[in-house]
Amino acid sequence: MSSSSYSTNPSVLLNTGVHMPILGLGTYKLTAPEDVYRAVDAALVAGYRAFDSAAVYDNEAEMGRALKELLPKHGLTREDVFITSKLDPNDQGERALEGALRSLSQLDLGYIDLYLIHWPGTKGLDVTDQRNPGNRAQSWATLEELHTQGKLKAIGVSNYTPAHMKELMKSCKTPPAVLQVEFHPHFCQTELRKVCEEYGVCFQAYSSLGKGALVTDPVVMEVAENCERTPAQVLLRWAVQQGIPVLPKSSNPLRINDNARIFDFTLSNTDMDRLSALDCGHKYCRDASQIV
C-alpha cells in the first residue's frame, strides 16, 4: 500500500459521518522522541493514516512534532491523518477541561479527530467509590462541549463495560462515536459488541495480540502457517475481517510494515471460526468491570 493510499485504505464510518481508518498505529510505551519519529515515519510509508496516543502515554507532544515534520515529507496534510488521544484518569471529573485542553496543546495539530475518556474510574478513587459515575458524567459533558466547538471532531470512551455504556447512553446529549477496548480471540467481548451495535457505536480493538501471548497459540500458529502469514497478521486480520478497527503497536519499522499487510488476504470461514472458538474470557490488560 503506497503512502498516498489514504483514500483506498479501508475505513469505518463513525456516527459523526466521518471515516476512521480501520488500521492505526498504537503508541503505548513509545516515548523517546527518536522512537516516536521513526515509528510514525515507518507507519506513514506503510500506509497507516491513524495514530493512537493518550495523555498517560506521555508522548502527545512528540507525536505532534513528528507528524508536523513528516506529513510534508510524505506529501500529506493534517487532514490526511486521523489522530486519537485520551483523557488522563487523573483528570476525570472537574479537571476534564484542563486535561483535554492540555492534550490539544501538546499535540498542537489544531484539533483532535477522536478524544476518549481513557478509563471509567478516577485515579486515586476506589473502584467502589460512588463519585466515579458523577466524574464520568462530568468528563463526558466537557467532551461534548469541546466537540460542539469543533476542537474534538469525535468523542468516545475506552475500557467501558456494558453497564458503563448503558449508563452513558441514558444521559449523554452526544452519543460516543467509538468504544476502544481489549479484543482478541481469547476475549471476544460478545455482549459489549452487541451493545455497541445496538447504539451505533464503533467497537475498536486494542491488544489484538493479547500482549504477545496469542502469537504462540498453537491454533493461531497453524492458521498462520497454512496461509503463509505471521501469527500477528492473522490475529489482526481476524478482527478487521469482522469490521473491527485495530491499533497494533510497535516501534520496529519492519514489524510496523508487516502489521499493515492485512488487507491483501482473507481468512476462510473455518479459520475465522477456529480463532473465535479460542474465546475463554481471558483479559491481559486492566479490568474495569468492578468500577461502579
Side-chain angles (χ1 to χ4, degrees):
M1 229 171 249
S2 76
S3 62
S4 61
S5 62
Y6 177 63
S7 56
T8 55
N9 275 0
S11 63
V12 287
L13 182 64
L14 301 181
N15 59 20
T16 53
V18 169
H19 285 271
M20 178 176 79
I22 206 161
L23 171 70
L25 181 73
T27 65
Y28 175 56
K29 290 193 172 165
L30 209 57
T31 48
E34 60 277 17
D35 292 345
V36 173
Y37 186 94
R38 188 171 59 240
V40 171
D41 196 19
L44 288 169
V45 170
Y48 291 73
R49 294 295 175 265
F51 297 87
D52 182 85
S53 182
V56 296
Y57 297 172
D58 203 20
N59 63 12
E60 289 171 317
E62 285 72 23
M63 175 76 69
R65 273 197 293 272
L67 284 163
K68 271 188 279 197
E69 263 184 68
L70 288 163
L71 289 173
K73 175 185 160 185
H74 294 285
L76 298 165
T77 65
R78 166 66 183 93
E79 289 67 40
D80 291 322
V81 289
F82 190 98
I83 309 303
T84 299
S85 199
K86 311 179 197 80
L87 182 73
D88 190 330
N90 222 15
D91 296 325
Q92 184 85 283
E94 56 190 31
R95 295 221 300 260
L97 180 61
E98 193 187 319
L101 291 176
R102 194 183 311 115
S103 286
L104 278 155
S105 155
Q106 292 273 326
L107 280 157
D108 195 25
L109 294 166
Y111 60 90
I112 296 174
D113 297 275
L114 174 65
Y115 198 68
L116 310 175
I117 293 179
H118 203 153
W119 188 250
T122 309
K123 192 167 184 194
L125 291 189
D126 190 77
V127 291
T128 59
D129 196 305
Q130 294 303 316
R131 286 171 290 181
N132 281 314
N135 285 352
R136 277 197 295 279
Q138 192 173 0
S139 294
W140 190 255
T142 301
L143 266 54
E144 286 180 324
E145 183 53 41
L146 291 168
H147 173 60
T148 304
Q149 293 169 17
K151 290 176 178 152
L152 310 175
K153 298 294 183 190
I155 53 177
V157 290
S158 183
N159 299 301
Y160 274 36
T161 64
H164 297 138
M165 286 300 286
K166 288 170 185 167
E167 169 198 78
L168 174 60
M169 295 308 295
K170 276 191 197 126
S171 62
C172 64
K173 289 196 205 101
T174 305
V178 170
L179 167 64
Q180 190 188 107
V181 286
E182 180 179 350
F183 174 75
H184 43 69
H186 280 172
F187 196 54
C188 290
Q189 299 266 34
T190 313
E191 187 195 352
L192 198 50
R193 287 174 65 194
K194 278 192 188 126
V195 170
C196 286
E197 211 171 303
E198 189 186 323
Y199 293 134
V201 176
C202 172
F203 179 97
Q204 183 178 40
Y206 73 71
S207 284
S208 295
L209 314 183
K211 287 199 164 174
L214 276 156
V215 296
T216 55
D217 180 284
V219 173
V220 176
M221 288 171 79
E222 193 183 316
V223 170
E225 200 176 321
N226 291 344
C227 57
E228 298 180 338
R229 292 287 172 154
T230 67
Q233 286 168 337
V234 162
L235 289 161
L236 294 166
R237 179 67 208 176
W238 172 80
V240 302
Q241 205 162 303
Q242 298 175 69
I244 294 169
V246 291
L247 297 163
K249 68 171 199 278
S250 180
S251 57
N252 178 324
L254 291 175
R255 202 163 288 148
I256 287 169
N257 187 53
D258 267 357
N259 290 343
R261 292 179 51 239
I262 53 174
F263 301 114
D264 57 352
F265 76 105
T266 306
L267 293 170
S268 69
N269 291 341
T270 307
D271 285 341
M272 289 293 288
D273 291 344
R274 284 184 74 197
L275 293 166
S276 298
L278 296 173
D279 188 14
C280 54
H282 186 79
K283 270 181 81 60
Y284 292 93
C285 305
R286 283 175 75 196
D287 185 9
S289 63
Q290 302 307 308
I291 297 169
V292 297

